[in-house]
Amino acid sequence: MTSKHDLVEGNYGVDDEGYFGQFGGAFIPELLQPNISQLQREYRTLLEDDDFQREFSELLRDYVGRPTPLTFATRCSEELGFRLFLKREDLAHTGAHKINNALGQALLAKRLKRTRIIAETGAGQHGVATATVCALLGLSCVIYMGEKDIERQAPNVGRMRLLGAEVVSVSSGSRTLKDATNEAMRDWIAHPTDTHYIIGSVVGPHPFPDLVARLQSVIGQEVRSQLALQTSRDYPDLVVACVGGGSNAIGIFGEFLHQDKGEQKVQLLAVEAAGEGLDSGKTAATIALGRAGVLHGSYTLFLQNSDGQVVEPHSLSAGLDYPGIGPQHAHLFSSGRCQFESVTDEEAVRAAFWLSRSEGIIPALETAHALAAVKRLKGFVGKTVVVSLSGRGDKDMETYLKWSSEIDVRR
Ligand SMILES: *Cc1c(COP(=O)(O)O)cnc(C)c1O
């Protein structure tokens, strides 16, 4: 991480109050005010501190395994007619991009003298990443997880417990990520001084969306130098990523947002989960169907009914099963800088099978949404496309096996 890639510059970064255009801010309970104000005041200085940068980049290299490879997808490219590169976050320690953020925030928490870490998790990937860095750094760790997610992500729950974390089952509401998030907030309010809440995506009150974006910006920075070595240019024509809250997407987009001072040379495509379809009532397509309001501490777009109540999202992939989206994405959408598309459960599963058989890489179900959008791209013949391969598919094997007996996987 270097200040050269300062996300605050340009029209797409955060302002002093924590806004991206009209979205963002910090809508928080009174009791959390001191804790979050301290974070707001200090996070930039702490991130720019030499000692922090050295420790973070050494651990990213020696513990996480960065830089992750940029793989040219030979057989997929042949089939698609454009050059497809995969940014291999699946090869980062713990199997997804989430570790970049968890590690960075845990290092910050130590510097802020917080001894206890809490987090919420959906797919379990953020919980595993958080439990991992807490073990590494000797911090106590409590993970909130919806009861339903605990059932569908059993291997990750086992991992968290093995790593020494306490996993708390949340049985309120839809028993998924949004309820776990509410519970984690309650814990934080009850422990306002000794605890840091490691939010797992570019969501929540300021400074989290900006903080997480900065900690994940290493993804796009690596893509730039890897493309420079592997192609004739250091930027692609298009970058594609799936979005739950939006951290892997912002992590890979950030580097290319401001290129040529506002000239939109690199196209950006974010892919959200349509679930069973946009009209099915069982969807997590926030951009397509959401409206603006305050969710989990920031003003952003989320799925809501006519009374402004959060609507239960649905996606086969636990990591995209979130009713909102980060405020920076809401801004990238409303300013037109980034395109958004949605992909159904079935399209995602088919794309996962396609990548597995074409390249020998089994992607996470979340990632498969981005791949499905790549498959249907038009007008990119001869161009260079980079997709964020946000995670590996081991945790989704049960789902894949179930579907492979129901659909013809070769189509
Ligand atoms: C959590 C997760 C996502 C979604 O989170 P973002 O913050 O939108 O990146 C995507 N892919 C994988 C593999 C995940 O674990």
Side-chain angles (χ1 to χ4, degrees):
M1 190 171 48
T2 62
S3 49
K4 182 168 69 128
H5 306 289
D6 199 333
L7 277 168
V8 165
E9 278 160 25
N11 300 324
Y12 305 110
V14 76
D15 70 15
D16 289 342
E17 263 75 57
Y19 282 87
F20 304 86
Q22 60 168 314
F23 300 103
F27 299 83
I28 48 173
E30 195 69 31
L31 283 167
L32 284 178
Q33 201 75 51
N35 189 314
I36 291 184
S37 298
Q38 186 194 11
L39 263 183
Q40 290 171 352
R41 279 193 313 274
E42 296 184 22
Y43 82 107
R44 294 283 306 275
T45 317
L46 286 169
L47 288 181
E48 280 153 23
D49 176 61
D50 287 344
D51 182 60
F52 172 85
Q53 295 224 355
R54 186 188 43 74
E55 191 174 5
F56 186 42
S57 55
E58 278 178 16
L59 285 170
L60 284 178
R61 185 190 65 206
D62 304 334
Y63 186 74
V64 174
R66 305 206 71 91
T68 59
L70 183 70
T71 302
F72 178 61
T74 318
R75 296 183 63 214
C76 290
S77 296
E78 215 162 90
E79 180 184 332
L80 296 167
F82 50 80
R83 293 195 297 175
L84 179 66
F85 287 87
L86 312 170
K87 181 56 176 163
R88 303 291 306 280
E89 295 303 295
D90 60 317
L91 294 178
H93 183 42
T94 70
H97 65 290
K98 297 237 168 57
I99 188 97
N100 306 323
N101 166 52
L103 177 62
Q105 284 198 50
L107 292 174
L108 283 189
K110 281 202 110 169
R111 284 164 171 78
L112 291 164
K113 307 266 185 291
R114 313 258 161 90
T115 51
R116 183 173 172 271
I117 297 293
I118 59 169
E120 88 299 328
T121 195
Q125 293 297 98
H126 176 55
V128 168
T130 302
T132 298
V133 299
C134 286
L136 174 73
L137 301 172
L139 293 159
S140 94
C141 180
V142 179
I143 306 289
Y144 289 91
M145 192 166 183
E147 203 175 19
K148 198 165 141 192
D149 291 335
I150 287 188
E151 280 161 29
R152 51 183 180 174
Q153 307 291 341
N156 274 344
V157 177
R159 280 183 196 108
M160 285 180 254
R161 294 194 166 132
L162 199 65
L163 290 159
E166 181 191 342
V167 181
V168 178
S169 172
V170 177
S171 50
S172 55
S174 59
R175 298 174 293 128
T176 59
L177 183 61
K178 87 174 168 52
D179 312 289
T181 306
N182 292 336
E183 213 50 52
M185 272 289 180
R186 260 176 231 131
D187 177 313
W188 207 16
I189 292 167
H191 302 91
T193 51
D194 67 340
T195 297
H196 179 69
Y197 177 10
I198 300 192
I199 291 184
S201 190
V202 284
V203 300
H206 178 60
F208 284 99
D210 184 50
L211 168 61
V212 177
R214 285 162 188 272
L215 295 172
Q216 292 289 6
S217 65
V218 63
I219 304 174
Q221 290 165 24
E222 288 175 5
V223 168
R224 185 186 291 286
S225 41
Q226 289 167 323
L227 278 179
L229 289 174
Q230 297 176 37
T231 72
S232 55
R233 288 190 329 207
D234 69 352
Y235 62 92
D237 297 292
L238 172 72
V239 184
V240 186
C242 65
V243 275
S247 69
N248 87 92
I250 289 291
I252 197 166
F253 292 170
E255 177 68 20
F256 304 106
L257 273 181
H258 311 298
Q259 200 165 20
D260 269 9
K261 301 198 170 52
E263 252 181 63
Q264 301 187 358
K265 196 149 57 172
V266 178
Q267 290 185 59
L268 307 171
L269 173 60
V271 186
E272 51 183 16
E276 294 181 9
L278 292 181
D279 304 326
S280 69
K282 298 185 80 179
T283 177
T286 310
I287 291 286
L289 301 170
R291 286 184 296 118
V294 172
L295 178 71
H296 296 142
S298 74
Y299 184 74
T300 190
L301 298 170
F302 67 96
L303 300 173
Q304 50 183 290
N305 64 20
S306 50
D307 297 329
Q309 296 296 315
V310 183
V311 169
E312 304 292 352
H314 166 83
S315 167
L316 191 60
S317 98
L320 303 184
D321 199 354
Y322 180 68
I325 192 164
Q328 190 172 7
H329 282 288
H331 179 54
L332 289 173
F333 167 68
S334 61
S335 65
R337 176 65 186 92
C338 182
Q339 297 311 117
F340 282 79
E341 285 183 17
S342 64
V343 157
T344 63
D345 291 344
E346 180 171 341
E347 290 173 296
V349 171
R350 286 183 189 279
F353 293 161
W354 171 71
L355 188 79
S356 302
R357 290 176 173 232
S358 311
E359 301 291 342
I361 298 167
I362 301 173
L365 201 37
E366 291 82 7
T367 313
H369 288 72
L371 294 163
V374 165
K375 278 183 78 178
R376 64 189 187 205
L377 284 177
K378 298 264 181 308
F380 282 87
V381 174
K383 302 221 157 131
T384 299
V385 176
V386 176
V387 59
S388 167
L389 208 86
S390 57
R392 66 179 182 221
D394 306 42
K395 68 184 177 58
D396 300 308
M397 280 316 295
E398 215 177 297
T399 306
Y400 288 156
L401 289 175
K402 183 175 152 287
W403 279 71
S404 66
S405 60
E406 285 171 16
I407 62 175
D408 181 352
V409 300
R410 284 151 312 193
R411 279 198 301 129

